[in-house]
Amino acid sequence: MQHNLSDIQIDYNGDPLLEANLPDDPLVLFHHWFEQISATYNSQPNAMVLSTHGKNGFPQSRVVLLKGYSDQGFSFYTNYNSQKGKGIKKNHKVSLTFYWPELERQVRIEGLASKTTEQESDEYFNSRPLDSRISAIISDQSQNVPSRAYLDEKVERFRSDMQNNPPKRPVNWGGYIVAPVSVEFWQGRPNRLHDRILYKFKGEKWKKSRLAP
C-alpha cells in the first residue's frame, strides 16, 4: 500500500529571525518564544521530543514534558529504569526538540543529561496528583506487562495497602537536567527559505551563526 502525500503543502509566513535582533544567550530567546506560545495558545507548549541512544544502536525518541528550565539546563522527570533512563546511563548525550506549529517555530537542543538532586526530585514528586504518584510507583516503565487489567489491579492493591500514608518517591524515579551545548532556533519563512540560527557553547560563552535552510 502506498500513499502519496506530496499534495500536503503549507506556506510559512513567520517573522524574520535576524542576528542583529537576537540576544547573546539562547536561553533568553527560548524564554521569549516559550512565553509567546504559552500566552497565545492552549496547547502543551512544554511537550518536547527527547532522543537518546538505544542499546541496539538505533536512536530512540519519545515525547516528554519539560518541567523547568534555567541557566543550568532543561529538566524533566521519569523512571530511571525506563528505556530513556537506561539510554542516558549508557550515553548522556541527548537531544530535545520543541515544535510549535502555531508560530511556525522549532527549537532543537543538544546537551548532556544528568540526574537532578534528590531534593528536587522529591519536591516535584510530592507536587504531583496522588494518582500520578501511585502510577509512578507501580509502573515498571518500558517492561512487558500481561494486560491493562494487571496494571489496574496493581493500582488498587497499592491503594488498599497505603492506609492513608502519602506515598514516597521510589529511588528509581526522579529528574534529569539537560545542560545544553548547542541550541538551534528555526523560524518558518516564505518559499522554504527558513531562518535557522545556531548557538554553540565555546570557551565559556555562546557563539551564534546562521545555517542554510
Side-chain angles (χ1 to χ4, degrees), residues 129-139 155 158-159 162 167:
L130 176 60
D131 287 346
S132 295
R133 281 178 278 163
I134 293 175
S135 295
I137 293 170
I138 65 95
S139 176
V155 167
F158 185 89
R159 280 184 179 282
M162 279 178 51

Side-chain angles (χ1 to χ4, degrees), residues 30-168:
F30 179 86
H31 178 69
H32 177 63
W33 278 19
F34 193 84
E35 290 289 295
Q36 283 188 317
I37 191 66
S38 300
T40 309
Y41 297 96
N42 293 322
S43 60
Q44 274 190 312
N46 61 328
M48 61 184 183
V49 176
L50 165 69
S51 297
T52 58
H53 298 264
K55 64 180 181 179
N56 56 5
F58 287 96
Q60 294 179 334
S61 300
R62 75 289 287 165
V63 177
V64 299
L65 296 179
L66 177 72
K67 289 301 179 180
Y69 60 93
S70 68
D71 292 337
Q72 283 69 50
F74 302 81
S75 59
F76 64 95
Y77 292 83
T78 190
N79 187 314
Y80 291 140
N81 294 330
S82 64
Q83 281 186 344
K84 65 182 87 68
K86 291 177 179 177
I88 291 171
K89 184 176 181 180
K90 182 178 179 181
N91 188 333
H92 70 158
K93 295 179 179 180
V94 305
S95 69
L96 308 172
T97 303
F98 295 86
Y99 179 53
W100 298 315
E102 300 92 342
L103 295 179
E104 301 175 352
R105 289 174 176 172
Q106 178 176 257
V107 182
R108 295 197 307 129
I109 299 163
E110 292 180 349
L112 307 177
S114 60
K115 290 181 179 179
T116 60
T117 66
E118 291 191 5
Q119 179 181 347
E120 289 170 316
S121 293
D122 285 339
E123 288 176 355
Y124 176 69
F125 181 82
N126 293 330
S127 74
R128 286 160 61 97
L130 176 60
D131 287 346
S132 295
R133 281 178 278 163
I134 293 175
S135 295
I137 293 170
I138 65 95
S139 176
D140 297 320
Q141 195 175 105
S142 302
Q143 302 301 311
N144 290 332
V145 293
S147 65
R148 174 71 197 202
Y150 166 84
L151 292 173
D152 292 337
E153 290 167 5
K154 199 172 180 180
V155 167
E156 291 309 312
R157 285 198 304 271
F158 185 89
R159 280 184 179 282
S160 64
D161 293 340
M162 279 178 51
Q163 298 179 343
N164 296 322
N165 295 319
K168 294 182 178 181

Side-chain angles (χ1 to χ4, degrees), residues 162-180:
M162 279 178 51
Q163 298 179 343
N164 296 322
N165 295 319
K168 294 182 178 181
R169 177 182 66 88
V171 295
N172 65 321
W173 194 97
Y176 287 103
I177 186 165
V178 178

